[in-house]
Amino acid sequence: IGGEEGHQQQAMLKDVEALVSTITDTPVAAASIGQVYKANIPGKGDVAVKVQRPGVRTLVERDSELLLTVAKFVESLPALPSSGTTSDATNKQTRLINTELVSTTKEFMSRIFEELDYRKEASNIAQFSSLYSRRDGTSKDVSVIVPKVYTELCTENVLVMEWIDGAKLTDVTGTASNTGEESSTVEENLALVKVAIDSTLSQLLVEGILHADPHAGNLLKVKLEDDSVTLGYLDFGIVSTIPEQVRDALICSVALQVFSRDVDAVSSLFGELRLIPQHILDDDEERAALAEALEITFENSLLYPEDAAGEDDTTAIPDLKFDKLLDSLSRLVPRFQFDLPPYFINNARALSTLEGIAKSLDPSFNVLTIMYPYALSRLLKNPSKSEVVARTLQSLIRSEDGKIDRTKIRRLLRDSALISGQSKRRVVWDVLKTKEGRILTRGIVSEEVGTYFGRNDGKRNAKSSSNKQRRKMKKKRW
């Protein structure tokens, strides 16, 4: 083949020859379906070569058939005979396990088969990089190291990408906790773990494009040329897309529970955002069971220092326990047929692991302090134009009769300052920096001014009416 295409093929063949001649004899890392080797390509430098294990696809296909057979069998089991002690909701069940096991298994296995095609992972890297890479990412919140992928050298079973030197976060945190590292290094490691949590929350709540397995083994501490450190990502087998309604549900449910402790409102919220089937919400007993289950979930995962409000009417800020939240959520998903995106629980579990690492470095760490800016931004900007988000924000600043509640606003301001660790003035500035925040503030001020003058006009009218009445009485007496 001649021309430009021929030159490209010759260059690619030279790269392949260089790769084959320099690849390490033994793998430098191993995973469940593949192994990673190191090689060098002139003009590209060191590269990581991920090679799929021989015969792994056949093995996965067999496992898939076995899992589906088990799922069908368990789904077919009838419910146990009801007793007088069981609830009416339980008596309505016709199956022993009221979970769609077959469809769940099919969904899970489809994701595994996606991971078997390394061309899909190459596409995931390109997508993730376009948003979050320090090199050319567009995200305003996340800037991390993402390996460059050489798509012309990739196949279904081989993935070739830029080699990144760094220490895994598991190694970094283990060293810090076991050898009494200098406090400056511990602080550096803690800052990096916070960046990892910050990055995951931004992916989850802002962009909706999410690295689905950000555990500490897939995250690197990378030293830059100026001796500063940053975060690097590995393993892009699964990159999830989080729908708008799920992002709205997360923000609104946390806001309603932290600031209002309103479990019933959270239950309704999941329904309005179509995360729970309508027939569950239409059943009064199931709805009550959902509210009770959510209340237990929040009691276990949001630990308040005191049950009552503070001396100055400030809500006690809870410590969010991600591990307990996930344990409870994993039980609720099949029980109430939550419609959550694939690998959502897996990703949240990784957040829990990162939170645990952060707490090992700083026992006072609270993930809510990192979640706060994203919650505030999404509530104010409401990018999805969701009526649920708009109502949630209004419920935090208005009383039940729909009027502006100054006490609620003051409490919300104080609580936001406590959660974020910032001053009240800074919280107000964060609100005013956004166009939506300024509109909201103008609306509140306008309504309050109107109410004030309305009251004064009422007083003046009443006074004027009273004066007229007295003059009439005097005239009558005269």
Side-chain angles (χ1 to χ4, degrees):
I1 301 176
E4 184 179 348
E5 186 178 354
H7 287 304
Q8 289 176 351
Q9 286 206 3
Q10 287 179 3
M12 187 178 71
L13 285 173
K14 286 182 179 179
D15 287 346
V16 172
E17 288 174 357
L19 186 151
V20 172
S21 63
T22 61
I23 195 167
T24 54
D25 294 329
T26 57
V28 295
S32 55
I33 63 172
Q35 297 182 143
V36 180
Y37 299 82
K38 187 176 183 180
N40 184 278
I41 300 176
K44 294 181 173 62
D46 290 337
V47 294
V49 185
K50 189 174 179 181
V51 182
Q52 196 170 111
R53 297 177 188 272
V56 70
R57 178 174 289 275
T58 302
L59 185 61
V60 171
E61 289 172 349
R62 290 176 182 172
D63 288 345
S64 177
E65 291 178 6
L66 179 61
L67 284 172
L68 281 172
T69 301
V70 173
K72 289 175 183 177
F73 171 73
V74 174
E75 263 197 13
S76 68
L77 295 175
L80 296 174
S82 60
S83 63
T85 59
T86 57
S87 66
D88 291 338
T90 305
N91 292 340
K92 294 177 182 178
Q93 285 188 205
T94 58
R95 300 194 321 230
L96 180 63
I97 305 296
N98 196 30
T99 305
E100 302 300 325
L101 292 177
V102 173
S103 60
T104 301
T105 302
K106 286 181 178 179
E107 177 65 40
F108 174 74
M109 293 311 301
S110 71
R111 297 288 164 165
I112 297 296
F113 282 114
E114 275 187 27
E115 287 193 75
L116 290 176
D117 189 345
Y118 285 169
R119 291 170 300 187
K120 175 64 176 174
E121 183 169 352
S123 174
N124 288 343
I125 295 174
Q127 181 187 33
F128 194 87
S129 179
S130 68
L131 287 171
Y132 308 120
S133 172
R134 288 172 60 90
R135 188 183 294 117
D136 53 8
T138 58
S139 172
K140 297 179 181 179
D141 302 308
V142 180
S143 180
V144 296
I145 298 289
V146 181
K148 182 179 180 180
V149 63
Y150 301 106
T151 52
E152 71 277 8
L153 300 176
C154 297
T155 69
E156 184 179 2
N157 302 315
V158 177
L159 179 68
V160 182
M161 53 190 163
E162 175 188 8
W163 180 270
I164 298 177
D165 282 312
K168 291 184 178 180
L169 280 192
T170 46
D171 303 332
V172 168
T173 53
T175 302
S177 59
N178 294 332
T179 64
E181 244 181 302
E182 293 180 2
S183 60
S184 60
T185 304
V186 173
E187 289 176 5
E188 183 180 79
N189 295 343
L190 176 61
L192 207 59
V193 173
K194 288 181 178 179
V195 169
I197 296 174
D198 200 1
S199 173
T200 302
L201 286 173
S202 176
Q203 295 168 43
L204 179 66
L205 302 174
V206 180
E207 302 291 351
I209 303 297
L210 187 66
H211 188 294
D213 197 17
H215 61 75
N218 283 338
L219 301 173
L220 293 179
K221 177 181 180 179
V222 182
K223 184 165 285 191
L224 301 175
E225 292 179 357
D226 60 0
D227 284 338
S228 63
V229 295
T230 190
L231 190 69
Y233 274 77
L234 301 175
D235 194 353
F236 298 84
I238 296 293
V239 171
S240 298
T241 301
I242 308 300
E244 288 274 13
Q245 67 266 29
V246 174
R247 286 180 264 166
D248 291 340
L250 285 170
I251 291 299
C252 293
S253 58
V254 169
L256 287 170
Q257 190 58 30
V258 170
F259 293 118
S260 305
R261 300 203 202 182
D262 193 342
V263 175
D264 290 332
V266 175
S267 302
S268 301
L269 180 77
F270 288 145
E272 288 186 74
L273 293 170
R274 298 179 182 177
L275 298 179
I276 294 179
Q278 191 61 40
H279 68 83
I280 297 285
L281 298 169
D282 291 340
D283 189 315
D284 292 338
E285 293 169 359
E286 285 290 273
R287 191 184 181 96
L290 173 62
E292 183 180 356
L294 285 173
E295 187 166 1
I296 294 172
T297 295
F298 288 128
E299 283 179 1
N300 291 335
S301 56
L302 287 171
L303 304 183
Y304 290 83
E306 296 177 5
D307 290 334
E311 294 179 0
D312 60 350
D313 201 28
T314 303
T315 305
I317 299 305
D319 184 14
L320 177 59
K321 300 291 185 182
F322 243 108
D323 54 346
K324 293 183 178 180
L325 175 65
L326 295 175
D327 180 61
S328 300
L329 275 179
S330 62
R331 299 170 192 272
L332 294 183
V333 169
R335 170 66 178 83
F336 296 104
Q337 300 174 34
F338 271 77
D339 183 16
L340 294 177
Y343 286 86
F344 178 81
I345 295 296
N346 184 56
N347 193 274
R349 185 169 287 111
L351 253 181
S352 174
T353 301
L354 292 172
E355 181 199 27
I357 294 172
K359 282 186 176 293
S360 71
L361 297 170
D362 178 10
S364 65
F365 175 79
N366 188 349
V367 73
L368 279 178
T369 62
I370 297 180
M371 184 178 284
Y372 159 77
Y374 298 108
L376 178 64
S377 176
R378 193 163 187 88
L379 279 173
L380 287 174
K381 293 182 178 179
N382 192 6
S384 62
K385 308 302 179 187
S386 166
E387 293 182 5
V388 175
V389 174
R391 281 204 310 273
T392 298
L393 178 60
Q394 292 300 319
S395 72
L396 296 176
I397 62 175
R398 295 182 183 274
S399 56
E400 292 183 359
D401 60 4
K403 295 180 180 178
I404 294 293
D405 190 326
R406 296 180 187 176
T407 302
K408 275 190 171 185
I409 292 176
R410 284 195 297 269
R411 178 180 294 179
L412 183 62
L413 179 61
R414 286 194 295 261
D415 292 352
S416 297
L418 281 171
I419 290 174
S420 64
Q422 299 172 343
S423 66
K424 298 175 191 175
R425 192 171 296 177
R426 179 55 190 266
V427 172
V428 172
W429 175 243
D430 286 344
V431 172
L432 293 176
K433 279 195 303 185
T434 66
K435 177 183 176 182
E436 295 77 7
R438 292 193 293 272
I439 293 173
L440 176 68
T441 303
R442 282 200 298 268
I444 292 174
V445 171
S446 175
E447 193 169 327
E448 283 292 277
V449 169
T451 302
Y452 173 80
F453 282 110
R455 284 198 299 266
N456 285 346
D457 286 345
K459 289 179 182 178
R460 283 195 292 269
N461 290 338
K463 187 175 181 179
S464 174
S465 177
S466 178
N467 290 338
K468 286 181 180 178
Q469 189 69 23
R470 281 198 295 270
R471 284 197 296 270
K472 284 182 181 181
M473 292 296 293
K474 285 181 180 180
K475 185 175 181 182
K476 186 176 181 181
R477 283 196 300 270
W478 184 82

